[in-house]
Amino acid sequence: MQLFLALVLFLLEFFAWLKSLFTTAKPESLNTAANDNVNADFVPTELNAGISFHNNLVTDLKNDHQHLLGLYTSVLESIDKAQYAKITGQLETFKIDFNAHLTAENIKFYGYLEQVLREEDNGTDYANMRKFRREMNSIANAVNKFLNNWITAGIDSTNVVEFKTELEGIGAALVKRIESEETTLYPIYHDKNAA
């Protein structure tokens, strides 16, 4: 249910952003009483007319990371218990939640940072953010390819060792990515709103 509400909020903001591309209204005009009720953490600024700052975004993204790591751990537990029939469903859930997280992160987080850093012409932060965004796209492609392959193939006693090896490689890449993102990029998000 929480994921559904997050998706609805994201879509509302996305369509408001699209509307702003075709009108000359100031960003404040998007901050109506109806929007305030739907998204209490909306903070419009002149600088980010396209994508808004969200007070709780970093916390939400970190919570997503923990949720995804929990799903990953559940798959490992299913392997250890030889509950192979459960794994396809777990992978499908992971895929849905992973891609929802990436969409929110890509638009709300990276989109916001890109427009703010481009406006500031901050070479170092902008270059780091672009590098992280490109790396995340590569990781996302690899994770989705892995998920699609194993959701289609299914896991059983004949292929579980191969699956676990690939899963652990994907998990290591994601954990490394999460750690570097949370320590390097996430702090920039709030710093740019405070500036």
Side-chain angles (χ1 to χ4, degrees):
M1 183 63 164
Q2 217 176 14
L3 179 62
F4 175 75
L5 290 174
L7 180 60
V8 169
L9 291 174
F10 165 74
L11 289 174
L12 287 172
E13 291 170 12
F14 178 73
F15 287 120
W17 174 74
L18 282 177
K19 180 181 173 187
S20 74
L21 292 177
F22 299 103
T23 64
T24 58
K26 292 186 182 276
E28 288 82 307
S29 68
L30 298 176
N31 192 17
T32 64
N35 263 351
D36 286 343
N37 290 335
V38 172
N39 188 5
D41 69 340
F42 174 79
V43 180
T45 67
E46 288 297 323
L47 181 61
N48 61 347
I51 300 170
S52 305
F53 176 85
H54 298 268
N55 287 324
N56 297 325
L57 181 60
V58 169
T59 300
D60 292 344
L61 293 174
K62 286 181 178 181
N63 288 339
D64 286 354
H65 289 163
Q66 292 308 306
H67 171 70
L68 291 168
L69 292 173
L71 292 174
Y72 172 81
T73 301
S74 296
V75 174
L76 289 175
E77 289 171 0
S78 293
I79 292 170
D80 291 342
K81 295 176 182 176
Q83 296 173 332
Y84 307 134
K86 290 175 65 174
I87 295 174
T88 299
Q90 291 171 319
L91 294 177
E92 289 169 343
T93 299
F94 187 92
K95 181 179 177 181
I96 290 167
D97 293 354
F98 177 69
N99 285 302
H101 169 76
L102 290 179
T103 300
E105 186 175 69
N106 200 27
I107 293 174
K108 289 182 176 181
F109 179 78
Y110 285 112
Y112 176 83
L113 274 185
E114 184 167 345
Q115 72 188 8
V116 170
L117 294 174
R118 188 177 339 150
E119 294 262 340
E120 293 178 358
D121 195 29
N122 181 331
T124 304
D125 285 343
Y126 185 77
N128 283 339
M129 183 276 307
R130 294 291 299 161
K131 179 181 170 209
F132 268 86
R133 197 172 196 180
R134 281 191 303 274
E135 287 173 1
M136 191 62 235
N137 287 336
S138 295
I139 292 170
N141 288 336
V143 170
N144 279 307
K145 182 177 178 182
F146 163 82
L147 292 168
N148 290 335
N149 177 53
W150 286 104
I151 288 169
T152 301
I155 293 87
D156 58 34
S157 60
T158 65
N159 63 10
V160 70
V161 172
E162 178 185 358
F163 169 72
K164 186 175 182 183
T165 301
E166 287 184 31
L167 178 69
E168 289 172 342
I170 291 288
L174 286 175
V175 166
K176 182 178 177 185
R177 173 58 189 212
I178 287 169
E179 289 172 351
S180 62
E181 201 171 58
E182 289 185 2
T183 58
T184 304
L185 275 187
Y186 283 7
I188 296 172
Y189 185 78
H190 280 289
D191 290 346
K192 293 305 162 193
N193 187 57

